[in-house]
Amino acid sequence: MAGRLGIIAGRGKYPAAVARSARDQGVEVKVVAFYDETDEEWVKNYDTTWLRVGQLGRMLRVLEDGGVAEVIMAGQIRPANLFELRPDWKALMLLARLKERNAASIFGAIADELEARGIKVLPATRYVEHWLAKSGHCAGPIPKERTLEDLRYGFQIAKKISEWKIGQAVVVKQGTVLAVEAFEGTDPMIRRGAELGKRKGCVLVKVSEPNQDMRFDVPVVGERTVELAREYGVTAIGVEAGKTLIIDPPAVERLCESYRVTLWGMESPSALGAELSS
């Protein structure tokens, strides 16, 4: 069992894709799944232990006893669950050491605890590096200049709020910020902003935080994001190139083409025009 890969699996397709890609490369996989979070179907194909969110001590024992040498934290945990924890003793001790109790600080402390026990925490993009967004046009129609201007502006605002650890996404329309992501997460923020924008001509921009800990906190865009964009009149989605995972790119590209939603990768606001002209 030496050298097994542990996957601490949250919601969505992301952890399933990591597990599948790792196994395709000959890596033996051990999954830690969470009740009311992890999808039940895909984990049936792997050696899986089910836990409640907050059972940190048991999770550490499961990984150590399972011969796990490296671990990947993949998939989201609902923000509300972080405030509804039934922590075990180990989790209580970890939380007591934290000055700030948010997703980044909690998952960062868990990653540090794993490392202290000799279990290496790999970047969350490992085995799915081919899903990272490229710079420039990724899918859907080529955007008009007005849309590019909103993407540039949204990028600037999103980077600033991410620096302040408020959130990592914004909705913009015609140079006006309609919504800023906070505790509620991206999907409710999209709905709120698009409603204010009359469900027409809005753009969504999603970025990483400065010095983002890529061991557990990678921005993602998937089919659900594009479905919401279509439903609420979001015409373009801007993401940070090289730091955002496009979950199942072929499926996302098909939806973007079908729904006429632009997906655009950005490295800096000033680079957008050069990307378009090239």
Side-chain angles (χ1 to χ4, degrees):
M1 290 189 298
R4 297 176 86 191
L5 173 69
I7 297 179
I8 301 173
R11 288 181 291 151
K13 291 183 176 182
Y14 176 22
V18 173
R20 184 171 58 251
S21 181
R23 190 164 65 178
D24 288 347
Q25 296 180 46
V27 178
E28 188 178 356
V29 173
K30 166 69 182 178
V31 176
V32 173
F34 297 101
Y35 295 112
D36 300 322
E37 293 287 356
T38 313
D39 181 78
E40 295 180 8
E41 289 303 313
W42 72 266
V43 299
K44 294 177 181 178
N45 300 315
Y46 300 88
D47 176 13
T48 300
T49 299
W50 285 90
L51 304 176
R52 295 192 319 270
V53 174
Q55 290 186 286
L56 177 59
R58 188 176 174 207
M59 183 184 77
L60 292 170
R61 289 194 299 274
V62 165
L63 294 172
E64 289 178 328
D65 294 345
V68 169
E70 298 177 328
V71 72
I72 295 175
M73 303 169 73
Q76 293 181 323
I77 300 295
R78 276 183 286 259
N81 268 342
L82 299 179
F83 285 85
E84 296 173 1
L85 288 175
R86 290 182 290 171
D88 61 13
W89 180 246
K90 185 65 180 178
L92 282 171
M93 293 176 62
L94 180 144
L95 291 170
R97 297 198 300 266
L98 299 179
K99 294 181 180 179
E100 298 178 3
R101 295 186 184 182
N102 52 42
S105 63
I106 292 171
F107 292 129
I110 292 171
D112 291 342
E113 181 69 26
L114 288 164
E115 296 270 8
R117 289 169 176 256
I119 300 174
K120 182 175 178 59
V121 182
L122 301 177
T125 56
R126 184 69 178 272
Y127 298 106
V128 287
E129 292 92 345
H130 56 292
W131 280 9
L132 285 168
K134 66 179 182 180
S135 182
H137 182 250
C138 297
I142 298 294
K144 296 179 180 179
E145 181 57 32
R146 174 70 262 185
T147 300
L148 285 173
E149 290 175 1
D150 279 349
L151 289 171
R152 293 186 187 105
Y153 180 57
F155 190 95
Q156 292 174 333
I157 299 299
K159 291 300 285 186
K160 183 56 67 176
I161 67 164
S162 72
E163 180 182 335
W164 294 334
K165 299 187 182 300
I166 295 170
Q168 294 174 242
V170 296
V171 173
V172 173
K173 181 178 179 179
Q174 296 180 2
T176 299
V177 177
L178 299 177
V180 171
E181 182 188 41
F183 177 74
E184 81 274 36
T186 304
D187 290 1
M189 186 271 303
I190 293 172
R191 297 187 187 99
R192 178 163 50 86
E195 290 287 358
L196 290 171
K198 307 299 182 183
R199 295 194 178 199
K200 185 176 181 181
C202 302
V203 307
L204 165 70
V205 178
K206 192 165 189 174
V207 303
S208 67
E209 290 183 359
N211 303 313
Q212 184 134 1
D213 194 332
M214 300 295 279
R215 296 178 299 174
F216 61 85
D217 190 15
V218 181
V220 300
V221 168
E223 293 172 85
R224 175 64 177 162
T225 315
V226 183
E227 293 279 5
L228 278 175
R230 181 207 188 193
E231 181 179 356
Y232 286 93
V234 173
T235 59
I237 301 168
V239 297
E240 188 162 3
K243 295 187 177 180
T244 305
L245 282 171
I246 309 301
I247 305 300
D248 194 353
V252 169
E253 289 167 13
R254 286 193 296 270
L255 280 184
C256 285
E257 293 297 331
S258 176
Y259 296 160
R260 305 296 295 166
V261 174
T262 297
L263 181 60
W264 196 268
M266 296 179 285
E267 294 182 353
S268 69
S270 61
L272 281 168
E275 289 162 1
L276 184 62
S277 62
S278 62

